[in-house]
Amino acid sequence: LQELAASGSCTPFEKAYIRKDGSQVPILLGAARLESDELAWVCFVLDLSESKKVEALLRQQTEELSRANRLKDEFLATVSHELRTPLNAMLGWSTMLRSRQLDEATTNRAIETIERNARAQNQLINDLLDVSRIITGKLRLNVRPVILVSVIEAAIDSIRPAAEAKDIRLQSVLDPNAGPLSGDSDRLQQVFWNLLSNAVKFTPKGGRVQIRLERINSHIEVTVSDTGQGISPEFLPYVFERLQQADSTTTRAHGGLGLGLAIVRHLVELHGGSVDATSAGEGKGATFMVNLPITIFRPEPTDMERVHPTVSDTAPLLDTPRLDGLKVLIVDDEIDARELLAMLLRQRGAVTTTVASAREALAIIIQSAFDQKPDVLVSDIGMPSEDGYTLIRQVRALAPEQGGRIPAIALTAYARTEDRIKALASGFQSHVPKPVEPVEFITVLASLIDRFQSSKQQLPAEAPAMSPPHLDNFC
């Protein structure tokens, strides 16, 4: 400080104060000349410990934000790639089918390819929606007693074709007495399908994937192991994090959004369990272990024979009910969606009318003669000018003889829980998210018509137009 004062410099500088115990404290040394006396100096020492901590924290937060932005950019690029990849196959084969120059075998292969890629794209969208529900806390479970053996067998059957295509041996060791547990069977099947799908995807041809189910003390343990490429020690701590992928470069060998394992962890934790991953390193396979608590109650014994699930997840169209003579009004601004739905319903005997806007639909309902009015309305939600919510509110405002009580289904790509609630509150009787299986939609439509006919017979002739229900004093 004396040297500082002698030099006439007022520039402070940092030093480290060493305590008796050897620890160092960052300090700032400086001096200032008094205005009242040019020969007098004031020296100061500032403890920089807190400011250094704040500086380190700000640096850490900046690095985390930079990393989050990088992950976001990589994720958006991956989403774009993964959604465009199946779309490319669908568009390409669709164009070739339009040329009508393919033989029967190639035509069948084209149709199979389009369906397979459409299902793959649908799975990607479902994963994105699940992550959105997880982030917003809106993912719910339909909890009931579950026999885990049946759930795992269904997951194995779903993944078996992919394993056979790569000549991968699927081994299962399932204890039939391990259980029961309380949970959502569909979500648990999603957990094990994700784990098995990952194992098959990252296991080379001729490899092996094993799933083991056993009871250990008061919990059930499910282990999925493979002889695949394994997980590096650096990536292992982040394997269950959202948007994380061991290889996110453009040269990666495997597709996906990096969301599957994050969904697995959240679903398992919602069931009160835990999931862990271990790997001896790259090229040495990986093991995922799911622990789930056993339920505290025992279900009633049953002599019913258990029906094992089949590989196919779709029902044949021939099993759906007939819709002979049913007049259906279809409202959708997308011409492809209108024509597809109209063709599907006409195959089951329905009489269809298609329009592209809410205004046209309302005019048809009002102006049609009494015996020519549509029996049911199927409307999209997102449409220009007037959306499906506006249409159904206008319809419900009509008198019964004008069509104000027509049964209505919202067939829409808005698939969140709040979208379903809004559709039902607006006046639709049913909400069906796109894409929908043809068999499922026809069954929903037939069920709605049956319910409407039954309730119509019980209503008095002067019943008012249908509106969202009130539950005042409801017990």
Short mmCIF file of all heavy atoms in Angstrom, two decimals, residues 170-228:
data_model
loop_
_atom_site.label_atom_id
_atom_site.label_comp_id
_atom_site.label_asym_id
_atom_site.label_seq_id
_atom_site.Cartn_x
_atom_site.Cartn_y
_atom_site.Cartn_z
N LEU A 170 -34.87 -63.39 -28.48
CA LEU A 170 -35.62 -62.80 -27.37
C LEU A 170 -35.83 -63.87 -26.31
O LEU A 170 -36.50 -64.88 -26.55
CB LEU A 170 -36.97 -62.28 -27.85
CG LEU A 170 -37.05 -60.84 -28.37
CD1 LEU A 170 -38.46 -60.53 -28.84
CD2 LEU A 170 -36.62 -59.85 -27.31
N GLN A 171 -35.27 -63.67 -25.14
CA GLN A 171 -35.42 -64.62 -24.05
C GLN A 171 -36.22 -63.97 -22.93
O GLN A 171 -35.98 -62.81 -22.57
CB GLN A 171 -34.05 -65.05 -23.52
CG GLN A 171 -33.18 -65.77 -24.54
CD GLN A 171 -31.82 -66.12 -23.99
OE1 GLN A 171 -31.37 -65.54 -22.99
NE2 GLN A 171 -31.13 -67.05 -24.62
N SER A 172 -37.17 -64.72 -22.39
CA SER A 172 -37.97 -64.20 -21.27
C SER A 172 -37.98 -65.21 -20.14
O SER A 172 -38.20 -66.41 -20.36
CB SER A 172 -39.40 -63.90 -21.73
OG SER A 172 -40.02 -65.07 -22.23
N VAL A 173 -37.73 -64.74 -18.94
CA VAL A 173 -37.79 -65.55 -17.73
C VAL A 173 -38.76 -64.84 -16.80
O VAL A 173 -38.40 -63.87 -16.12
CB VAL A 173 -36.41 -65.70 -17.08
CG1 VAL A 173 -36.51 -66.60 -15.84
CG2 VAL A 173 -35.39 -66.26 -18.06
N LEU A 174 -40.01 -65.30 -16.78
CA LEU A 174 -41.08 -64.59 -16.09
C LEU A 174 -41.66 -65.45 -14.97
O LEU A 174 -42.11 -66.57 -15.20
CB LEU A 174 -42.19 -64.21 -17.07
CG LEU A 174 -41.76 -63.47 -18.35
CD1 LEU A 174 -42.96 -63.20 -19.23
CD2 LEU A 174 -41.03 -62.19 -18.01
N ASP A 175 -41.62 -64.93 -13.77
CA ASP A 175 -42.18 -65.61 -12.61
C ASP A 175 -43.68 -65.33 -12.55
O ASP A 175 -44.08 -64.19 -12.31
CB ASP A 175 -41.49 -65.12 -11.34
CG ASP A 175 -42.03 -65.79 -10.08
OD1 ASP A 175 -42.86 -66.71 -10.22
OD2 ASP A 175 -41.61 -65.39 -8.97
N PRO A 176 -44.53 -66.34 -12.76
CA PRO A 176 -45.98 -66.09 -12.77
C PRO A 176 -46.53 -65.67 -11.41
O PRO A 176 -47.63 -65.13 -11.33
CB PRO A 176 -46.56 -67.45 -13.21
CG PRO A 176 -45.52 -68.45 -12.84
CD PRO A 176 -44.20 -67.77 -12.98
N ASN A 177 -45.78 -65.91 -10.34
CA ASN A 177 -46.24 -65.56 -9.01
C ASN A 177 -45.71 -64.20 -8.54
O ASN A 177 -45.89 -63.83 -7.38
CB ASN A 177 -45.82 -66.64 -8.01
CG ASN A 177 -46.45 -67.98 -8.33
OD1 ASN A 177 -47.62 -68.06 -8.67
ND2 ASN A 177 -45.67 -69.04 -8.23
N ALA A 178 -45.03 -63.48 -9.43
CA ALA A 178 -44.49 -62.17 -9.06
C ALA A 178 -45.57 -61.13 -9.19
O ALA A 178 -45.81 -60.59 -10.26
CB ALA A 178 -43.30 -61.83 -9.94
N GLY A 179 -46.23 -60.83 -8.14
CA GLY A 179 -47.28 -59.82 -8.20
C GLY A 179 -48.37 -60.14 -7.22
O GLY A 179 -48.19 -60.96 -6.32
N PRO A 180 -49.50 -59.49 -7.36
CA PRO A 180 -49.81 -58.45 -8.35
C PRO A 180 -49.30 -57.08 -7.89
O PRO A 180 -48.75 -56.94 -6.80
CB PRO A 180 -51.32 -58.46 -8.39
CG PRO A 180 -51.70 -58.79 -6.97
CD PRO A 180 -50.65 -59.76 -6.48
N LEU A 181 -49.49 -56.10 -8.74
CA LEU A 181 -49.20 -54.73 -8.35
C LEU A 181 -50.34 -53.83 -8.79
O LEU A 181 -51.20 -54.22 -9.58
CB LEU A 181 -47.86 -54.25 -8.92
CG LEU A 181 -47.65 -54.27 -10.45
CD1 LEU A 181 -48.25 -53.06 -11.11
CD2 LEU A 181 -46.17 -54.33 -10.76
N SER A 182 -50.34 -52.62 -8.28
CA SER A 182 -51.38 -51.65 -8.61
C SER A 182 -50.80 -50.62 -9.58
O SER A 182 -49.80 -49.98 -9.28
CB SER A 182 -51.86 -50.95 -7.33
OG SER A 182 -52.88 -50.02 -7.61
N GLY A 183 -51.42 -50.52 -10.76
CA GLY A 183 -50.88 -49.59 -11.75
C GLY A 183 -51.74 -49.52 -12.99
O GLY A 183 -52.83 -50.08 -13.06
N ASP A 184 -51.22 -48.83 -13.98
CA ASP A 184 -51.87 -48.66 -15.28
C ASP A 184 -51.23 -49.64 -16.25
O ASP A 184 -50.06 -49.49 -16.62
CB ASP A 184 -51.68 -47.22 -15.76
CG ASP A 184 -52.47 -46.90 -17.02
OD1 ASP A 184 -52.57 -47.79 -17.88
OD2 ASP A 184 -52.94 -45.76 -17.15
N SER A 185 -51.98 -50.64 -16.68
CA SER A 185 -51.41 -51.69 -17.52
C SER A 185 -50.92 -51.16 -18.86
O SER A 185 -49.88 -51.59 -19.37
CB SER A 185 -52.44 -52.81 -17.74
OG SER A 185 -53.61 -52.30 -18.37
N ASP A 186 -51.63 -50.19 -19.43
CA ASP A 186 -51.21 -49.63 -20.71
C ASP A 186 -49.89 -48.88 -20.58
O ASP A 186 -49.00 -49.01 -21.42
CB ASP A 186 -52.29 -48.70 -21.27
CG ASP A 186 -53.55 -49.45 -21.65
OD1 ASP A 186 -53.45 -50.64 -21.98
OD2 ASP A 186 -54.64 -48.84 -21.61
N ARG A 187 -49.76 -48.08 -19.52
CA ARG A 187 -48.52 -47.33 -19.32
C ARG A 187 -47.36 -48.25 -18.96
O ARG A 187 -46.22 -48.01 -19.37
CB ARG A 187 -48.72 -46.27 -18.23
CG ARG A 187 -49.64 -45.12 -18.64
CD ARG A 187 -49.07 -44.37 -19.85
NE ARG A 187 -49.84 -43.17 -20.17
CZ ARG A 187 -49.53 -42.34 -21.14
NH1 ARG A 187 -48.49 -42.58 -21.90
NH2 ARG A 187 -50.28 -41.29 -21.40
N LEU A 188 -47.63 -49.31 -18.20
CA LEU A 188 -46.57 -50.25 -17.88
C LEU A 188 -46.11 -51.00 -19.14
O LEU A 188 -44.92 -51.26 -19.32
CB LEU A 188 -47.05 -51.24 -16.82
CG LEU A 188 -47.18 -50.66 -15.41
CD1 LEU A 188 -47.85 -51.67 -14.48
CD2 LEU A 188 -45.81 -50.28 -14.85
N GLN A 189 -47.06 -51.34 -20.01
CA GLN A 189 -46.68 -51.97 -21.27
C GLN A 189 -45.82 -51.01 -22.09
O GLN A 189 -44.87 -51.43 -22.76
CB GLN A 189 -47.92 -52.38 -22.06
CG GLN A 189 -47.58 -53.11 -23.37
CD GLN A 189 -48.81 -53.60 -24.09
OE1 GLN A 189 -49.85 -53.81 -23.49
NE2 GLN A 189 -48.70 -53.80 -25.40
N GLN A 190 -46.15 -49.71 -22.04
CA GLN A 190 -45.34 -48.71 -22.74
C GLN A 190 -43.92 -48.68 -22.18
O GLN A 190 -42.95 -48.56 -22.95
CB GLN A 190 -45.99 -47.34 -22.58
CG GLN A 190 -45.26 -46.21 -23.29
CD GLN A 190 -45.93 -44.87 -23.08
OE1 GLN A 190 -46.97 -44.78 -22.44
NE2 GLN A 190 -45.35 -43.81 -23.62
N VAL A 191 -43.77 -48.83 -20.86
CA VAL A 191 -42.44 -48.86 -20.24
C VAL A 191 -41.61 -49.99 -20.80
O VAL A 191 -40.46 -49.81 -21.27
CB VAL A 191 -42.57 -48.97 -18.71
CG1 VAL A 191 -41.22 -49.35 -18.09
CG2 VAL A 191 -43.08 -47.68 -18.11
N PHE A 192 -42.17 -51.21 -20.78
CA PHE A 192 -41.39 -52.38 -21.19
C PHE A 192 -41.22 -52.44 -22.70
O PHE A 192 -40.21 -52.94 -23.19
CB PHE A 192 -42.05 -53.65 -20.63
CG PHE A 192 -42.13 -53.64 -19.14
CD1 PHE A 192 -43.34 -53.72 -18.48
CD2 PHE A 192 -40.98 -53.50 -18.37
CE1 PHE A 192 -43.42 -53.68 -17.11
CE2 PHE A 192 -41.04 -53.46 -16.98
CZ PHE A 192 -42.26 -53.55 -16.35
N TRP A 193 -42.20 -51.91 -23.44
CA TRP A 193 -42.02 -51.82 -24.90
C TRP A 193 -40.86 -50.89 -25.23
O TRP A 193 -40.03 -51.20 -26.10
CB TRP A 193 -43.30 -51.33 -25.56
CG TRP A 193 -43.18 -51.26 -27.06
CD1 TRP A 193 -43.46 -52.26 -27.95
CD2 TRP A 193 -42.72 -50.14 -27.84
NE1 TRP A 193 -43.20 -51.84 -29.23
CE2 TRP A 193 -42.75 -50.55 -29.20
CE3 TRP A 193 -42.30 -48.87 -27.53
CZ2 TRP A 193 -42.38 -49.71 -30.23
CZ3 TRP A 193 -41.92 -48.03 -28.55
CH2 TRP A 193 -41.96 -48.44 -29.90
N ASN A 194 -40.77 -49.75 -24.54
CA ASN A 194 -39.67 -48.82 -24.77
C ASN A 194 -38.32 -49.46 -24.47
O ASN A 194 -37.36 -49.32 -25.23
CB ASN A 194 -39.85 -47.56 -23.92
CG ASN A 194 -40.59 -46.46 -24.66
OD1 ASN A 194 -40.50 -46.35 -25.88
ND2 ASN A 194 -41.34 -45.66 -23.94
N LEU A 195 -38.24 -50.15 -23.34
CA LEU A 195 -36.97 -50.77 -22.96
C LEU A 195 -36.58 -51.87 -23.94
O LEU A 195 -35.42 -51.98 -24.36
CB LEU A 195 -37.07 -51.33 -21.54
CG LEU A 195 -37.22 -50.29 -20.41
CD1 LEU A 195 -37.39 -50.98 -19.07
CD2 LEU A 195 -36.03 -49.35 -20.39
N LEU A 196 -37.56 -52.71 -24.33
CA LEU A 196 -37.26 -53.79 -25.28
C LEU A 196 -36.94 -53.23 -26.66
O LEU A 196 -36.04 -53.72 -27.35
CB LEU A 196 -38.45 -54.74 -25.36
CG LEU A 196 -38.67 -55.65 -24.14
CD1 LEU A 196 -40.02 -56.36 -24.24
CD2 LEU A 196 -37.55 -56.69 -24.04
N SER A 197 -37.67 -52.19 -27.06
CA SER A 197 -37.41 -51.57 -28.37
C SER A 197 -36.01 -51.00 -28.43
O SER A 197 -35.30 -51.16 -29.43
CB SER A 197 -38.46 -50.48 -28.63
OG SER A 197 -38.20 -49.82 -29.84
N ASN A 198 -35.58 -50.32 -27.35
CA ASN A 198 -34.23 -49.79 -27.30
C ASN A 198 -33.20 -50.90 -27.37
O ASN A 198 -32.18 -50.79 -28.07
CB ASN A 198 -34.03 -48.98 -26.02
CG ASN A 198 -34.25 -47.49 -26.24
OD1 ASN A 198 -34.71 -47.08 -27.29
ND2 ASN A 198 -33.93 -46.70 -25.24
N ALA A 199 -33.46 -51.98 -26.63
CA ALA A 199 -32.51 -53.09 -26.61
C ALA A 199 -32.36 -53.70 -28.00
O ALA A 199 -31.24 -53.99 -28.45
CB ALA A 199 -32.97 -54.15 -25.61
N VAL A 200 -33.48 -53.89 -28.70
CA VAL A 200 -33.41 -54.46 -30.05
C VAL A 200 -32.73 -53.49 -31.01
O VAL A 200 -31.93 -53.89 -31.85
CB VAL A 200 -34.84 -54.82 -30.53
CG1 VAL A 200 -34.83 -55.18 -32.01
CG2 VAL A 200 -35.41 -55.98 -29.72
N LYS A 201 -33.03 -52.20 -30.88
CA LYS A 201 -32.47 -51.20 -31.79
C LYS A 201 -30.95 -51.13 -31.68
O LYS A 201 -30.25 -50.99 -32.69
CB LYS A 201 -33.09 -49.84 -31.51
CG LYS A 201 -32.57 -48.73 -32.43
CD LYS A 201 -33.42 -47.49 -32.35
CE LYS A 201 -33.34 -46.80 -31.01
NZ LYS A 201 -34.04 -45.49 -31.01
N PHE A 202 -30.42 -51.23 -30.46
CA PHE A 202 -29.00 -51.05 -30.26
C PHE A 202 -28.23 -52.37 -30.17
O PHE A 202 -27.04 -52.37 -29.81
CB PHE A 202 -28.75 -50.23 -28.98
CG PHE A 202 -29.20 -48.81 -29.10
CD1 PHE A 202 -30.35 -48.37 -28.47
CD2 PHE A 202 -28.49 -47.92 -29.87
CE1 PHE A 202 -30.77 -47.06 -28.58
CE2 PHE A 202 -28.90 -46.60 -30.00
CZ PHE A 202 -30.05 -46.18 -29.35
N THR A 203 -28.89 -53.48 -30.48
CA THR A 203 -28.23 -54.78 -30.50
C THR A 203 -28.00 -55.20 -31.94
O THR A 203 -28.93 -55.17 -32.75
CB THR A 203 -29.08 -55.84 -29.76
OG1 THR A 203 -29.24 -55.44 -28.40
CG2 THR A 203 -28.40 -57.20 -29.80
N PRO A 204 -26.78 -55.60 -32.30
CA PRO A 204 -26.50 -55.98 -33.69
C PRO A 204 -27.15 -57.31 -34.05
O PRO A 204 -27.65 -58.04 -33.18
CB PRO A 204 -24.97 -56.08 -33.72
CG PRO A 204 -24.58 -56.37 -32.31
CD PRO A 204 -25.57 -55.66 -31.45
N LYS A 205 -27.14 -57.62 -35.33
CA LYS A 205 -27.72 -58.88 -35.80
C LYS A 205 -27.06 -60.07 -35.11
O LYS A 205 -25.84 -60.08 -34.90
CB LYS A 205 -27.56 -59.00 -37.32
CG LYS A 205 -28.45 -58.06 -38.11
CD LYS A 205 -28.35 -58.34 -39.59
CE LYS A 205 -29.31 -57.45 -40.38
NZ LYS A 205 -29.27 -57.73 -41.84
N GLY A 206 -27.90 -61.06 -34.78
CA GLY A 206 -27.39 -62.25 -34.12
C GLY A 206 -27.19 -62.09 -32.63
O GLY A 206 -26.71 -63.01 -31.97
N GLY A 207 -27.59 -60.94 -32.06
CA GLY A 207 -27.41 -60.70 -30.64
C GLY A 207 -28.52 -61.31 -29.80
O GLY A 207 -29.34 -62.10 -30.28
N ARG A 208 -28.55 -60.91 -28.54
CA ARG A 208 -29.53 -61.49 -27.60
C ARG A 208 -30.09 -60.38 -26.71
O ARG A 208 -29.37 -59.49 -26.26
CB ARG A 208 -28.87 -62.55 -26.73
CG ARG A 208 -29.78 -63.14 -25.64
CD ARG A 208 -29.04 -64.17 -24.81
NE ARG A 208 -27.84 -63.59 -24.21
CZ ARG A 208 -27.84 -62.89 -23.08
NH1 ARG A 208 -28.98 -62.65 -22.46
NH2 ARG A 208 -26.71 -62.41 -22.60
N VAL A 209 -31.41 -60.46 -26.48
CA VAL A 209 -32.10 -59.56 -25.55
C VAL A 209 -32.88 -60.42 -24.57
O VAL A 209 -33.62 -61.32 -24.98
CB VAL A 209 -33.06 -58.59 -26.28
CG1 VAL A 209 -33.90 -57.80 -25.28
CG2 VAL A 209 -32.29 -57.64 -27.18
N GLN A 210 -32.70 -60.16 -23.29
CA GLN A 210 -33.38 -60.96 -22.26
C GLN A 210 -34.17 -60.04 -21.33
O GLN A 210 -33.72 -58.95 -20.97
CB GLN A 210 -32.37 -61.75 -21.43
CG GLN A 210 -33.03 -62.66 -20.39
CD GLN A 210 -32.02 -63.36 -19.50
OE1 GLN A 210 -31.51 -62.77 -18.55
NE2 GLN A 210 -31.73 -64.61 -19.81
N ILE A 211 -35.36 -60.49 -20.97
CA ILE A 211 -36.17 -59.79 -19.97
C ILE A 211 -36.51 -60.78 -18.87
O ILE A 211 -36.95 -61.91 -19.14
CB ILE A 211 -37.44 -59.16 -20.60
CG1 ILE A 211 -38.23 -58.39 -19.55
CG2 ILE A 211 -38.30 -60.21 -21.30
CD1 ILE A 211 -39.32 -57.50 -20.12
N ARG A 212 -36.28 -60.36 -17.64
CA ARG A 212 -36.48 -61.23 -16.48
C ARG A 212 -37.42 -60.55 -15.50
O ARG A 212 -37.27 -59.36 -15.19
CB ARG A 212 -35.15 -61.53 -15.81
CG ARG A 212 -35.25 -62.38 -14.54
CD ARG A 212 -33.90 -62.51 -13.87
NE ARG A 212 -33.00 -63.28 -14.69
CZ ARG A 212 -32.89 -64.62 -14.66
NH1 ARG A 212 -33.66 -65.31 -13.83
NH2 ARG A 212 -32.05 -65.24 -15.44
N LEU A 213 -38.42 -61.30 -15.01
CA LEU A 213 -39.37 -60.82 -14.02
C LEU A 213 -39.29 -61.70 -12.79
O LEU A 213 -39.42 -62.92 -12.89
CB LEU A 213 -40.80 -60.84 -14.59
CG LEU A 213 -41.95 -60.68 -13.58
CD1 LEU A 213 -41.94 -59.29 -12.97
CD2 LEU A 213 -43.29 -60.97 -14.25
N GLU A 214 -39.05 -61.09 -11.63
CA GLU A 214 -38.98 -61.86 -10.40
C GLU A 214 -39.38 -60.99 -9.22
O GLU A 214 -39.29 -59.77 -9.28
CB GLU A 214 -37.57 -62.43 -10.18
CG GLU A 214 -36.47 -61.39 -10.20
CD GLU A 214 -35.10 -62.00 -10.15
OE1 GLU A 214 -34.98 -63.14 -9.65
OE2 GLU A 214 -34.14 -61.37 -10.61
N ARG A 215 -39.81 -61.68 -8.17
CA ARG A 215 -40.18 -60.97 -6.94
C ARG A 215 -39.01 -61.01 -5.98
O ARG A 215 -38.43 -62.07 -5.73
CB ARG A 215 -41.41 -61.60 -6.30
CG ARG A 215 -41.76 -60.99 -4.95
CD ARG A 215 -43.08 -61.49 -4.43
NE ARG A 215 -43.36 -60.94 -3.11
CZ ARG A 215 -44.54 -61.04 -2.50
NH1 ARG A 215 -45.53 -61.68 -3.10
NH2 ARG A 215 -44.73 -60.51 -1.31
N ILE A 216 -38.65 -59.83 -5.46
CA ILE A 216 -37.57 -59.74 -4.48
C ILE A 216 -38.11 -58.97 -3.28
O ILE A 216 -38.37 -57.76 -3.36
CB ILE A 216 -36.34 -59.02 -5.07
CG1 ILE A 216 -35.80 -59.82 -6.27
CG2 ILE A 216 -35.27 -58.83 -4.01
CD1 ILE A 216 -34.60 -59.18 -6.92
N ASN A 217 -38.31 -59.70 -2.17
CA ASN A 217 -38.87 -59.14 -0.94
C ASN A 217 -40.20 -58.46 -1.23
O ASN A 217 -41.14 -59.11 -1.67
CB ASN A 217 -37.87 -58.18 -0.30
CG ASN A 217 -36.58 -58.88 0.09
OD1 ASN A 217 -36.61 -60.05 0.48
ND2 ASN A 217 -35.45 -58.20 0.00
N SER A 218 -40.29 -57.15 -1.01
CA SER A 218 -41.58 -56.47 -1.13
C SER A 218 -41.73 -55.72 -2.45
O SER A 218 -42.58 -54.84 -2.58
CB SER A 218 -41.76 -55.47 0.03
OG SER A 218 -40.72 -54.50 0.00
N HIS A 219 -40.91 -56.04 -3.43
CA HIS A 219 -41.06 -55.36 -4.72
C HIS A 219 -40.84 -56.35 -5.86
O HIS A 219 -40.33 -57.46 -5.67
CB HIS A 219 -40.09 -54.18 -4.84
CG HIS A 219 -38.65 -54.57 -4.92
ND1 HIS A 219 -37.86 -54.75 -3.80
CD2 HIS A 219 -37.85 -54.84 -5.98
CE1 HIS A 219 -36.64 -55.09 -4.15
NE2 HIS A 219 -36.61 -55.17 -5.47
N ILE A 220 -41.24 -55.91 -7.04
CA ILE A 220 -41.06 -56.70 -8.26
C ILE A 220 -39.91 -56.09 -9.05
O ILE A 220 -39.85 -54.86 -9.21
CB ILE A 220 -42.34 -56.72 -9.09
CG1 ILE A 220 -43.45 -57.47 -8.34
CG2 ILE A 220 -42.10 -57.37 -10.46
CD1 ILE A 220 -44.78 -57.44 -9.05
N GLU A 221 -39.04 -56.93 -9.54
CA GLU A 221 -37.89 -56.46 -10.31
C GLU A 221 -37.97 -56.99 -11.73
O GLU A 221 -38.10 -58.20 -11.94
CB GLU A 221 -36.59 -56.92 -9.64
CG GLU A 221 -35.34 -56.37 -10.28
CD GLU A 221 -34.09 -56.76 -9.49
OE1 GLU A 221 -33.81 -56.10 -8.47
OE2 GLU A 221 -33.44 -57.74 -9.89
N VAL A 222 -37.91 -56.08 -12.70
CA VAL A 222 -37.90 -56.46 -14.11
C VAL A 222 -36.58 -55.96 -14.70
O VAL A 222 -36.27 -54.78 -14.63
CB VAL A 222 -39.09 -55.83 -14.87
CG1 VAL A 222 -39.06 -56.28 -16.33
CG2 VAL A 222 -40.41 -56.22 -14.22
N THR A 223 -35.84 -56.89 -15.28
CA THR A 223 -34.53 -56.58 -15.83
C THR A 223 -34.52 -56.83 -17.32
O THR A 223 -34.90 -57.92 -17.77
CB THR A 223 -33.43 -57.42 -15.17
OG1 THR A 223 -33.50 -57.26 -13.75
CG2 THR A 223 -32.05 -57.01 -15.65
N VAL A 224 -34.12 -55.84 -18.09
CA VAL A 224 -33.97 -55.97 -19.54
C VAL A 224 -32.48 -55.79 -19.86
O VAL A 224 -31.91 -54.73 -19.61
CB VAL A 224 -34.80 -54.92 -20.29
CG1 VAL A 224 -34.58 -55.04 -21.80
CG2 VAL A 224 -36.28 -55.06 -19.97
N SER A 225 -31.86 -56.83 -20.39
CA SER A 225 -30.44 -56.78 -20.71
C SER A 225 -30.23 -57.16 -22.17
O SER A 225 -31.03 -57.89 -22.76
CB SER A 225 -29.64 -57.72 -19.80
OG SER A 225 -30.12 -59.05 -19.91
N ASP A 226 -29.15 -56.67 -22.75
CA ASP A 226 -28.86 -56.95 -24.15
C ASP A 226 -27.36 -57.09 -24.35
O ASP A 226 -26.56 -56.78 -23.47
CB ASP A 226 -29.42 -55.85 -25.06
CG ASP A 226 -28.80 -54.49 -24.77
OD1 ASP A 226 -27.60 -54.32 -25.04
OD2 ASP A 226 -29.51 -53.59 -24.28
N THR A 227 -26.99 -57.56 -25.52
CA THR A 227 -25.58 -57.70 -25.90
C THR A 227 -25.22 -56.66 -26.94
O THR A 227 -24.40 -56.92 -27.82
CB THR A 227 -25.32 -59.12 -26.44
OG1 THR A 227 -26.18 -59.34 -27.58
CG2 THR A 227 -25.61 -60.17 -25.40
N GLY A 228 -25.82 -55.48 -26.83
CA GLY A 228 -25.66 -54.43 -27.83
C GLY A 228 -24.44 -53.56 -27.61
O GLY A 228 -23.46 -53.96 -26.97
#
